[in-house]
Amino acid sequence: MTEDEFDAFYATAFPRLTGQLYAFTGDHGEAQDVVQEAFVRAWDRRQQFLSDSAPEAWIRTVAMRLAVSRWRRARRWLEIVRRTPPPDSTPGPGPEHTALVAALRELPPAQRMAIVLHHLCDLSVEQVASETGAPVGTVKARLYRGRAELAKRLAGDEADGRVDEADGQVRRVGGTDGQVRRVGEADGPARKESRRVR
């Protein structure tokens, strides 16, 4: 069978074979896939296809075997999935993560992108500049402003004070210097702590 004869054979036989395989599989897309795969295999042996050797029957047989093989693989996969216990449920994000994401959403998009690329994706300032198309100085300014705005927003969530679970102390963020101060008693004087909120 020449290439032209094979093309003509494909054009006339493909719709008919697809209909037959659709009746066999019950899935039109699957039927098209297996018939197409059978034709691909037949292409390599098209020289052996003679008009009296029933090439359509050969392709139909190959397509049906492919459909059965796919069905068996799908059934084995389903059995494996049924036997495999579901994974333990993953805990949701903690309150710190939720607060950070909420604060990031309130930043301007350019600042948010710079912070995410630099701090979460571990890109250098130069790499952030290359990826965003902004000058290095602009990226530095966005990082500075974004961090300052994040610190202000996150500090605002804790301005009323919260109890630190580690030592039972009440921590407050106060003043314009952004420092964390620890209060030993609820109404006692604040003592400066060296750590800064970032």
Side-chain angles (χ1 to χ4, degrees):
M1 187 179 285
T2 65
E3 291 185 12
D4 290 340
E5 290 172 336
F6 188 89
D7 289 344
F9 167 61
Y10 174 86
T12 57
F14 182 81
R16 185 167 50 248
L17 287 167
T18 299
Q20 294 165 1
L21 266 292
Y22 172 56
F24 179 68
T25 63
D27 184 329
H28 192 261
E30 181 76 6
Q32 288 179 319
D33 286 348
V34 293
V35 171
Q36 187 68 41
E37 177 64 26
F39 268 104
V40 168
R41 294 183 182 191
W43 175 258
D44 294 332
R45 55 173 56 216
R46 66 186 178 279
Q47 299 297 335
Q48 302 165 7
F49 275 11
L50 302 173
S51 58
D52 58 348
S53 66
E56 189 169 324
W58 186 91
I59 289 177
R60 182 171 44 252
T61 301
V62 171
M64 289 183 123
R65 288 179 180 163
L66 286 168
V68 169
S69 176
R70 287 183 176 201
W71 180 79
R72 286 179 179 158
R73 278 198 305 270
R75 190 176 65 177
R76 277 196 302 269
W77 179 83
L78 187 58
E79 288 171 359
I80 290 170
V81 168
R82 284 180 178 161
R83 283 195 306 259
T84 305
D88 295 335
S89 60
T90 305
E96 298 85 7
H97 178 82
T98 305
L100 177 61
V101 171
L104 278 169
R105 285 183 181 156
E106 294 177 7
L107 293 180
Q111 290 177 12
R112 185 187 325 138
M113 181 173 286
I115 286 177
V116 168
L117 291 175
H118 184 64
H119 292 288
L120 300 180
C121 300
D122 289 329
L123 298 184
S124 68
V125 172
E126 290 76 17
Q127 289 172 318
V128 174
S130 174
E131 194 157 319
T132 59
V136 171
T138 303
V139 171
K140 288 180 180 178
R142 288 173 181 170
L143 286 170
Y144 175 80
R145 292 185 186 121
R147 282 190 295 248
E149 190 62 29
L150 271 180
K152 186 171 32 169
R153 291 181 187 281
L154 292 174
D157 293 342
E158 299 180 356
D160 293 334
R162 65 175 174 80
V163 177
D164 190 352
E165 296 174 5
D167 57 12
Q169 297 291 315
V170 176
R171 297 182 188 277
R172 297 183 194 276
V173 179
T176 57
D177 57 2
Q179 289 187 337
V180 175
R181 292 171 174 80
R182 181 177 295 161
V183 180
E185 300 292 332
D187 56 350
R191 179 166 53 88
K192 269 193 177 181
E193 186 176 325
S194 59
R195 188 165 61 84
R196 288 183 176 270
V197 175
R198 296 184 181 210

